[in-house]
Amino acid sequence: MIPFVREFDFAYGRRDQVSPLIQRVIADNPGPFTFTGTGTYIVGRDEVDADVALIDPGPLDEAHLQALMKAVEGRRVTHVLVTHTHRDHAPLARPFAERVGAPILSMQPPVRQTHASGALDEEEDEAFAPDAVLTGGERISGDGWTLSALATPGHASNHMAFALEDENALFCGDHVMGWSTTVVAPPDGDMADYMASLELVIEAGFDTLWPTHGAPVMRPEPFLAAYRTHRLEREAQVMARIAAGDRTIEEMVPALYAAVDQRLWPAASLSVWAHLIKLVREGRAISDGEPTLRATYSGA
């Protein structure tokens, strides 16, 4: 069982000091994929004229923009960092950056790809364009803090996490979430990339994980081990459904997600599809042509 954390103290628009170098402001955009809403992080000292970086400005929401401007008042915003370009993370980046005079940094936005099922509200911010493109390994510093970029593709092809070296903490975006498992939805999401990125985060040995949605993960080692086990078990369950005679994702989902709200089954279908793409690539399953959402699958 994954030791999810679903209870934490917050209020929309309120600036909370959550660690010596981290403050958080949560946007009022709750939902099935955003939990309580987008948590925007401010990294740096709470001192007049201190340099700070801001991570994941969030959705295009005037109230959240005003809350962020109030939260950084009296300090210099030197960088606006975006973990990935989904609409609950990126759209406010440009309006905020223009107000504070800071550059936007992120990975290169992906080529526009629509989820075949229309199941998600996590589509790309088509207007997003960074001022500088990150590839991983870059270091960004300010007054008493240093962030390093860690490429973590999987949930999105352009997903970038940011490690706060001074607190051995990781701003993990949607790569790992404390309240739920992460959606890996093709065509932009990739399960093989996700599992490889998860191993990188496990090996790094962070003391704290700060997801963009929900509470922090304060004991990453057992949490990440359970996260990995869950994915491997789901993969085995998909193989078991094939062995039981299921040939389509539509047949597999009711059995695999019987305990899950049926409103989430379309999103669950995308996760099963991501597993099947990986299994076909590895030669462990066969599809009748390309491994699409509507393909027919069998065991290898």
Side-chain angles (χ1 to χ4, degrees), residues 195-234:
M195 295 302 291
S197 298
L198 189 61
E199 290 299 326
L200 287 177
V201 173
I202 290 171
E203 291 169 5
F206 293 105
D207 292 332
T208 311
L209 304 179
W210 294 97
T212 298
H213 307 288
V217 177
M218 306 303 291
R219 297 182 62 235
E221 185 175 357
F223 189 93
L224 292 172
Y227 229 64
R228 176 175 55 191
T229 297
H230 168 78
R231 292 293 182 183
L232 295 175
E233 288 177 346
R234 182 67 76 198

Side-chain angles (χ1 to χ4, degrees), residues 13 161 279:
L279 290 167

Side-chain angles (χ1 to χ4, degrees), residues 136-174:
E138 296 88 352
R139 298 176 82 234
I140 301 159
S141 297
D143 296 330
W145 56 267
T146 298
L147 292 165
S148 56
L150 177 65
T152 49
H155 170 71
S157 62
N158 67 333
H159 197 287
M160 182 72 75
F162 298 95
L164 179 57
E165 298 179 7
D166 314 86
E167 295 186 359
N168 194 33
L170 183 71
F171 297 99
C172 50
D174 285 358

Side-chain angles (χ1 to χ4, degrees), residues 23-200:
Q23 296 167 333
R24 182 186 62 209
V25 181
I26 297 181
D28 188 3
N29 63 327
F33 300 103
T34 59
F35 191 38
T36 60
T38 299
T40 301
Y41 292 102
I42 302 163
V43 179
R45 296 172 177 166
D46 187 14
E47 300 173 359
V48 175
D49 291 332
D51 293 337
V52 298
L54 186 131
I55 301 173
D56 279 349
L60 197 60
D61 179 83
E62 182 63 26
H64 191 53
L65 174 59
Q66 295 304 319
L68 295 180
M69 292 303 300
K70 181 179 179 181
V72 300
E73 189 175 4
R75 296 182 287 177
R76 291 185 299 273
V77 180
T78 59
H79 301 83
V80 177
L81 307 175
V82 177
T83 60
H84 61 297
T85 50
H86 286 168
R87 292 183 304 196
D88 54 324
H89 293 250
L92 200 60
R94 183 59 62 189
F96 177 80
E98 289 179 348
R99 292 281 292 273
V100 299
I104 301 170
L105 286 69
S106 77
M107 291 189 79
Q108 186 69 41
V111 174
R112 172 69 175 167
Q113 299 183 87
T114 301
H115 294 296
S117 71
L120 300 180
D121 61 0
E122 292 190 319
E123 302 294 348
E124 300 297 327
D125 174 13
E126 297 181 67
F128 180 84
D131 298 307
V133 172
L134 302 173
T135 59
E138 296 88 352
R139 298 176 82 234
I140 301 159
S141 297
D143 296 330
W145 56 267
T146 298
L147 292 165
S148 56
L150 177 65
T152 49
H155 170 71
S157 62
N158 67 333
H159 197 287
M160 182 72 75
F162 298 95
L164 179 57
E165 298 179 7
D166 314 86
E167 295 186 359
N168 194 33
L170 183 71
F171 297 99
C172 50
D174 285 358
H175 182 65
V176 176
M177 296 189 292
W179 69 281
S180 174
T181 55
T182 297
V183 173
V184 180
D188 189 53
D190 187 288
M191 189 62 71
D193 286 348
Y194 182 81
M195 295 302 291
S197 298
L198 189 61
E199 290 299 326
L200 287 177

Side-chain angles (χ1 to χ4, degrees), residues 208-286:
T208 311
L209 304 179
W210 294 97
T212 298
H213 307 288
V217 177
M218 306 303 291
R219 297 182 62 235
E221 185 175 357
F223 189 93
L224 292 172
Y227 229 64
R228 176 175 55 191
T229 297
H230 168 78
R231 292 293 182 183
L232 295 175
E233 288 177 346
R234 182 67 76 198
E235 183 176 279
Q237 290 166 0
V238 170
M239 291 296 296
R241 294 316 308 166
I242 292 175
D246 290 350
R247 292 293 174 260
T248 65
I249 293 172
E250 187 177 10
E251 292 173 327
M252 297 177 196
V253 167
L256 293 173
Y257 293 89
V260 174
D261 187 333
Q262 292 188 25
R263 291 174 297 177
L264 298 179
W265 281 8
S269 297
L270 298 176
S271 181
V272 175
W273 181 23
H275 279 292
L276 284 164
I277 291 171
K278 178 176 179 288
L279 290 167
V280 169
R281 284 181 191 164
E282 294 172 350
R284 299 165 61 195
I286 298 171

